[in-house]
Short mmCIF file of all heavy atoms in Angstrom, two decimals:
data_model
loop_
_atom_site.label_atom_id
_atom_site.label_comp_id
_atom_site.label_asym_id
_atom_site.label_seq_id
_atom_site.Cartn_x
_atom_site.Cartn_y
_atom_site.Cartn_z
N ALA A 970 -15.68 -16.27 -15.90
CA ALA A 970 -16.73 -15.65 -16.49
C ALA A 970 -17.49 -14.91 -15.39
O ALA A 970 -17.45 -15.37 -14.19
CB ALA A 970 -17.73 -16.59 -17.12
N PHE A 971 -18.02 -13.68 -15.72
CA PHE A 971 -18.64 -12.82 -14.73
C PHE A 971 -20.00 -12.36 -15.25
O PHE A 971 -20.14 -11.90 -16.37
CB PHE A 971 -17.74 -11.58 -14.41
CG PHE A 971 -18.37 -10.59 -13.62
CD1 PHE A 971 -18.45 -10.78 -12.24
CD2 PHE A 971 -19.05 -9.46 -14.15
CE1 PHE A 971 -19.07 -9.80 -11.38
CE2 PHE A 971 -19.65 -8.51 -13.35
CZ PHE A 971 -19.68 -8.65 -11.97
N LEU A 972 -20.99 -12.53 -14.37
CA LEU A 972 -22.35 -11.98 -14.67
C LEU A 972 -22.77 -11.01 -13.67
O LEU A 972 -22.65 -11.31 -12.44
CB LEU A 972 -23.47 -13.15 -14.65
CG LEU A 972 -23.37 -14.26 -15.69
CD1 LEU A 972 -24.64 -14.99 -15.59
CD2 LEU A 972 -23.14 -13.80 -17.05
N ASN A 973 -23.17 -9.87 -14.11
CA ASN A 973 -23.76 -8.85 -13.14
C ASN A 973 -25.27 -8.85 -13.35
O ASN A 973 -25.70 -8.51 -14.48
CB ASN A 973 -23.07 -7.51 -13.55
CG ASN A 973 -23.20 -6.52 -12.29
OD1 ASN A 973 -23.71 -6.89 -11.28
ND2 ASN A 973 -22.75 -5.34 -12.47
N VAL A 974 -26.03 -9.23 -12.40
CA VAL A 974 -27.44 -9.44 -12.54
C VAL A 974 -28.23 -8.44 -11.75
O VAL A 974 -28.01 -8.42 -10.45
CB VAL A 974 -27.83 -10.90 -12.22
CG1 VAL A 974 -29.28 -11.16 -12.63
CG2 VAL A 974 -26.90 -11.89 -12.91
N LEU A 975 -29.14 -7.70 -12.29
CA LEU A 975 -29.94 -6.76 -11.57
C LEU A 975 -30.91 -7.57 -10.70
O LEU A 975 -31.54 -8.52 -11.19
CB LEU A 975 -30.67 -5.86 -12.56
CG LEU A 975 -31.56 -4.73 -11.83
CD1 LEU A 975 -30.63 -3.79 -11.04
CD2 LEU A 975 -32.45 -4.00 -12.83
N CYS A 976 -30.99 -7.13 -9.45
CA CYS A 976 -31.88 -7.86 -8.53
C CYS A 976 -32.78 -6.86 -7.85
O CYS A 976 -32.39 -5.87 -7.16
CB CYS A 976 -30.95 -8.54 -7.50
SG CYS A 976 -31.94 -9.41 -6.27
N VAL A 977 -34.07 -7.12 -8.01
CA VAL A 977 -34.98 -6.20 -7.33
C VAL A 977 -35.13 -6.54 -5.85
O VAL A 977 -35.09 -7.65 -5.49
CB VAL A 977 -36.47 -6.26 -7.95
CG1 VAL A 977 -36.54 -5.57 -9.29
CG2 VAL A 977 -36.91 -7.71 -8.13
N CYS A 978 -35.23 -5.44 -5.04
CA CYS A 978 -35.36 -5.65 -3.65
C CYS A 978 -36.50 -4.77 -3.08
O CYS A 978 -36.31 -3.57 -2.81
CB CYS A 978 -34.01 -5.23 -2.99
SG CYS A 978 -34.02 -5.10 -1.22
N PRO A 979 -37.71 -5.31 -2.97
CA PRO A 979 -38.87 -4.46 -2.56
C PRO A 979 -38.58 -3.85 -1.18
O PRO A 979 -39.00 -2.73 -0.96
CB PRO A 979 -40.04 -5.39 -2.51
CG PRO A 979 -39.40 -6.81 -2.62
CD PRO A 979 -38.10 -6.69 -3.26
N THR A 980 -37.83 -4.52 -0.32
CA THR A 980 -37.63 -4.05 1.02
C THR A 980 -36.81 -2.76 1.06
O THR A 980 -37.20 -1.81 1.75
CB THR A 980 -36.99 -5.08 1.85
OG1 THR A 980 -37.71 -6.37 1.73
CG2 THR A 980 -36.96 -4.75 3.35
N GLU A 981 -35.73 -2.76 0.29
CA GLU A 981 -34.83 -1.56 0.36
C GLU A 981 -35.19 -0.49 -0.76
O GLU A 981 -34.86 0.69 -0.61
CB GLU A 981 -33.44 -1.95 0.19
CG GLU A 981 -32.93 -2.81 1.38
CD GLU A 981 -33.19 -2.22 2.75
OE1 GLU A 981 -33.28 -0.96 2.87
OE2 GLU A 981 -33.28 -2.98 3.65
N TRP A 982 -35.85 -1.01 -1.85
CA TRP A 982 -36.21 0.00 -2.87
C TRP A 982 -37.60 0.57 -2.65
O TRP A 982 -37.92 1.61 -3.17
CB TRP A 982 -36.26 -0.69 -4.25
CG TRP A 982 -34.87 -1.29 -4.77
CD1 TRP A 982 -33.75 -1.33 -3.97
CD2 TRP A 982 -34.62 -1.80 -6.02
NE1 TRP A 982 -32.75 -1.91 -4.73
CE2 TRP A 982 -33.25 -2.17 -5.98
CE3 TRP A 982 -35.34 -1.98 -7.19
CZ2 TRP A 982 -32.57 -2.73 -7.08
CZ3 TRP A 982 -34.66 -2.58 -8.21
CH2 TRP A 982 -33.29 -2.96 -8.25
N LYS A 983 -38.28 0.01 -1.76
CA LYS A 983 -39.59 0.51 -1.31
C LYS A 983 -40.59 0.74 -2.50
O LYS A 983 -40.94 1.83 -2.77
CB LYS A 983 -39.42 1.74 -0.55
CG LYS A 983 -38.47 1.50 0.77
CD LYS A 983 -38.29 2.73 1.62
CE LYS A 983 -37.48 2.34 2.84
NZ LYS A 983 -36.11 1.88 2.54
N TYR A 984 -41.04 -0.41 -2.97
CA TYR A 984 -42.09 -0.37 -3.96
C TYR A 984 -42.98 -1.54 -3.73
O TYR A 984 -42.69 -2.47 -2.90
CB TYR A 984 -41.48 -0.60 -5.46
CG TYR A 984 -40.75 -1.88 -5.69
CD1 TYR A 984 -41.49 -2.94 -6.12
CD2 TYR A 984 -39.43 -2.01 -5.45
CE1 TYR A 984 -40.86 -4.15 -6.31
CE2 TYR A 984 -38.75 -3.18 -5.62
CZ TYR A 984 -39.46 -4.34 -6.05
OH TYR A 984 -38.88 -5.46 -6.23
N ASP A 985 -44.17 -1.58 -4.33
CA ASP A 985 -45.18 -2.67 -4.16
C ASP A 985 -44.52 -3.96 -4.70
O ASP A 985 -44.21 -4.10 -5.86
CB ASP A 985 -46.42 -2.21 -4.93
CG ASP A 985 -47.41 -3.31 -5.14
OD1 ASP A 985 -47.20 -4.41 -4.61
OD2 ASP A 985 -48.37 -3.10 -5.73
N GLU A 986 -44.39 -4.91 -3.72
CA GLU A 986 -43.55 -6.13 -4.16
C GLU A 986 -44.25 -6.97 -5.29
O GLU A 986 -43.57 -7.78 -5.85
CB GLU A 986 -43.37 -7.02 -2.96
CG GLU A 986 -44.56 -7.75 -2.40
CD GLU A 986 -45.15 -7.12 -1.16
OE1 GLU A 986 -44.50 -6.15 -0.60
OE2 GLU A 986 -46.31 -7.43 -0.85
N SER A 987 -45.46 -6.66 -5.64
CA SER A 987 -46.06 -7.42 -6.71
C SER A 987 -45.59 -6.90 -8.06
O SER A 987 -45.79 -7.48 -9.13
CB SER A 987 -47.62 -7.34 -6.62
OG SER A 987 -48.03 -5.95 -6.94
N GLN A 988 -44.89 -5.76 -8.04
CA GLN A 988 -44.51 -5.13 -9.30
C GLN A 988 -43.08 -5.35 -9.72
O GLN A 988 -42.59 -4.68 -10.70
CB GLN A 988 -44.69 -3.61 -9.16
CG GLN A 988 -46.10 -3.21 -8.87
CD GLN A 988 -47.15 -3.71 -10.00
OE1 GLN A 988 -46.92 -3.35 -11.12
NE2 GLN A 988 -48.11 -4.43 -9.62
N GLY A 989 -42.41 -6.34 -9.13
CA GLY A 989 -40.92 -6.58 -9.29
C GLY A 989 -40.68 -6.77 -10.86
O GLY A 989 -39.70 -6.20 -11.35
N VAL A 990 -41.35 -7.75 -11.40
CA VAL A 990 -40.98 -8.10 -12.77
C VAL A 990 -41.29 -6.89 -13.78
O VAL A 990 -40.51 -6.62 -14.64
CB VAL A 990 -41.78 -9.32 -13.22
CG1 VAL A 990 -41.62 -9.63 -14.70
CG2 VAL A 990 -41.32 -10.50 -12.34
N ARG A 991 -42.38 -6.18 -13.46
CA ARG A 991 -42.60 -4.94 -14.25
C ARG A 991 -41.49 -3.97 -14.09
O ARG A 991 -41.02 -3.30 -15.13
CB ARG A 991 -43.89 -4.39 -13.76
CG ARG A 991 -44.77 -3.77 -14.91
CD ARG A 991 -46.18 -3.68 -14.49
NE ARG A 991 -47.07 -4.68 -15.06
CZ ARG A 991 -48.08 -5.23 -14.35
NH1 ARG A 991 -48.45 -4.71 -13.21
NH2 ARG A 991 -48.75 -6.19 -14.82
N LEU A 992 -41.03 -3.84 -12.91
CA LEU A 992 -39.87 -2.92 -12.64
C LEU A 992 -38.68 -3.26 -13.33
O LEU A 992 -37.91 -2.48 -13.91
CB LEU A 992 -39.69 -2.79 -11.16
CG LEU A 992 -38.98 -1.58 -10.59
CD1 LEU A 992 -39.70 -0.25 -10.95
CD2 LEU A 992 -38.92 -1.63 -8.98
N LEU A 993 -38.44 -4.53 -13.42
CA LEU A 993 -37.18 -5.06 -14.10
C LEU A 993 -37.29 -4.69 -15.62
O LEU A 993 -36.36 -4.32 -16.25
CB LEU A 993 -37.14 -6.62 -14.01
CG LEU A 993 -36.64 -7.09 -12.65
CD1 LEU A 993 -36.85 -8.57 -12.42
CD2 LEU A 993 -35.12 -6.78 -12.42
N GLN A 994 -38.55 -4.82 -16.11
CA GLN A 994 -38.74 -4.44 -17.58
C GLN A 994 -38.52 -2.89 -17.77
O GLN A 994 -37.87 -2.55 -18.71
CB GLN A 994 -40.14 -4.86 -18.04
CG GLN A 994 -40.37 -4.66 -19.52
CD GLN A 994 -39.40 -5.44 -20.39
OE1 GLN A 994 -39.07 -6.50 -20.17
NE2 GLN A 994 -38.96 -4.75 -21.45
N THR A 995 -38.90 -2.16 -16.80
CA THR A 995 -38.79 -0.71 -16.92
C THR A 995 -37.21 -0.45 -16.89
O THR A 995 -36.77 0.51 -17.57
CB THR A 995 -39.48 0.00 -15.72
OG1 THR A 995 -40.81 -0.46 -15.67
CG2 THR A 995 -39.46 1.59 -15.91
N ALA A 996 -36.44 -1.14 -16.09
CA ALA A 996 -34.99 -0.87 -16.08
C ALA A 996 -34.45 -1.09 -17.46
O ALA A 996 -33.44 -0.38 -17.81
CB ALA A 996 -34.33 -1.81 -15.07
N LEU A 997 -34.96 -2.01 -18.23
CA LEU A 997 -34.42 -2.29 -19.59
C LEU A 997 -34.90 -1.21 -20.52
O LEU A 997 -34.20 -0.63 -21.33
CB LEU A 997 -34.90 -3.65 -20.08
CG LEU A 997 -34.53 -4.83 -19.17
CD1 LEU A 997 -35.02 -6.11 -19.99
CD2 LEU A 997 -33.17 -4.92 -18.87
N ASP A 998 -36.24 -0.84 -20.41
CA ASP A 998 -36.78 0.17 -21.31
C ASP A 998 -36.28 1.61 -21.11
O ASP A 998 -36.32 2.38 -22.08
CB ASP A 998 -38.31 0.09 -21.25
CG ASP A 998 -38.84 -1.21 -21.86
OD1 ASP A 998 -38.16 -1.82 -22.78
OD2 ASP A 998 -39.85 -1.75 -21.42
#
Side-chain angles (χ1 to χ4, degrees):
Chain A
F971 173 80
L972 296 192
N973 201 1
V974 187
L975 183 65
C976 177
V977 284
C978 170
T980 310
E981 298 307 336
W982 296 9
K983 301 182 175 62
Y984 63 86
D985 168 1
E986 73 261 345
S987 69
Q988 298 302 305
V990 174
R991 215 160 264 145
L992 201 55
L993 284 165
Q994 185 59 39
T995 310
L997 306 185
D998 289 333

